[in-house]
Amino acid sequence: MVRVLVVEDERDLRSAISQTLVEEGFVVDEAADGKAAIFKATAWDYDAVVLDLMLPIKSGWEVLDALRKVKATPVLILSARDQVCDRVRGLDGGADDYVVKPFSLVELVARLRALIRRAAGNAESILTVGDVTINLSKRTVEKSGRPVVLTAREYAILELLTLHRGKLITRSVIYDHIFGEDDDSLSNLVDVHVSHIRKKLGSDLIETRRGQGYIVND
């Protein structure tokens, strides 16, 4: 599970995009104007931002510029502006992808997943750690070739740690990626979920760095 910020001023379209992403296992936050988008995108660590260009208060161009001054968060521009000059401006301005409206929600999800994988240094949709195989597209897990059923949040933690394998991921980062901005779940659930993952996939898969966080080693 990854956390995405959807920035779109059209309520129905924003709702449709968010609902589709949630159904695909994403945690989604929303912003309806450029000012809110800048605040959220710079205050929290998102795996990606879906950004409309024609926004009230602050334009999508201003949001992109503000974000790029402080973060390298992957940005997928979603806009009705279909001129080549707009696409060039968006990509040269720091966007990672540019999708023109109208668009397919299925394609949007696929592009987001690919963008997030590339940002994490994983071009492939199949990740393997020891005898554990994770299919990012199908969101399935196997151990020694046998399917293992994980809950949505167990899978989210495993996916996050595996995408960034070799890097220490703090509990607060895991929590921010699993729980949405309106979620009141307790933070100690991260430790509980990690314990369940170990029971299903092996105690040595995820290493605990006491007082710091967790890491999946290559």
Side-chain angles (χ1 to χ4, degrees):
M1 190 182 299
V2 292
R3 189 169 184 176
V4 174
L5 175 64
V6 175
V7 185
E8 170 61 58
D9 63 323
E10 293 184 40
R11 180 183 299 177
D12 290 344
L13 179 56
R14 186 174 68 249
S15 177
I17 294 171
S18 297
Q19 183 60 37
T20 297
L21 293 177
V22 168
E23 290 173 356
E24 290 294 327
F26 292 78
V27 172
V28 180
D29 293 345
E30 299 180 0
D33 62 70
K35 183 178 180 180
I38 291 174
F39 172 74
K40 290 186 177 183
T42 55
W44 283 279
D45 291 324
Y46 291 100
D47 293 287
V49 175
V50 177
L51 178 64
D52 185 25
L53 293 178
M54 306 300 289
L55 298 169
I57 306 179
K58 296 281 188 178
S59 71
W61 302 117
E62 292 175 287
V63 174
L64 180 61
D65 182 61
L67 178 59
R68 281 295 169 259
K69 288 178 179 178
V70 294
K71 291 188 177 183
T73 308
V75 174
L76 185 153
I77 289 178
L78 194 62
S79 177
R81 301 176 68 112
D82 60 354
Q83 298 298 309
V84 172
C85 60
D86 292 316
R87 300 186 195 192
V88 171
R89 180 184 176 185
L91 295 172
D92 282 350
D96 300 271
D97 201 353
Y98 196 112
V99 175
V100 176
K101 300 177 181 177
F103 59 93
S104 162
L105 285 170
V106 173
E107 180 183 359
L108 176 64
V109 172
R111 283 179 176 270
L112 265 181
R113 290 196 187 282
L115 189 156
I116 292 167
R117 290 199 305 270
R118 289 197 302 271
N122 297 284
E124 300 294 329
S125 62
I126 304 294
L127 301 180
T128 302
V129 180
D131 61 353
V132 175
T133 301
I134 304 167
N135 187 315
L136 298 176
S137 298
K138 296 181 179 180
R139 303 181 71 242
T140 58
V141 179
E142 293 183 352
K143 179 177 175 61
S144 300
R146 296 183 177 181
V148 177
V149 178
L150 301 181
T151 67
R153 284 178 172 162
E154 288 168 4
Y155 177 85
I157 293 174
L158 178 65
E159 180 183 76
L160 175 64
L161 292 174
T162 308
L163 277 172
H164 300 279
R165 58 190 183 280
K167 299 179 182 178
L168 177 71
I169 306 297
T170 65
R171 285 179 175 82
S172 61
V173 168
I174 295 174
Y175 183 81
D176 286 343
H177 278 71
I178 294 176
F179 303 114
E181 57 187 345
D182 299 322
D183 207 316
D184 294 326
S185 298
L186 299 175
S187 59
N188 67 343
L189 283 179
V190 171
D191 302 315
V192 174
H193 291 316
V194 169
S195 176
H196 291 165
I197 294 170
R198 285 174 169 151
K199 291 178 181 177
K200 295 177 180 180
L201 297 175
S203 59
D204 58 346
L205 177 64
I206 300 175
E207 177 186 345
T208 299
R209 296 287 178 85
R210 191 172 299 278
Q212 300 177 8
Y214 297 101
I215 184 171
V216 167
N217 290 304
D218 289 322

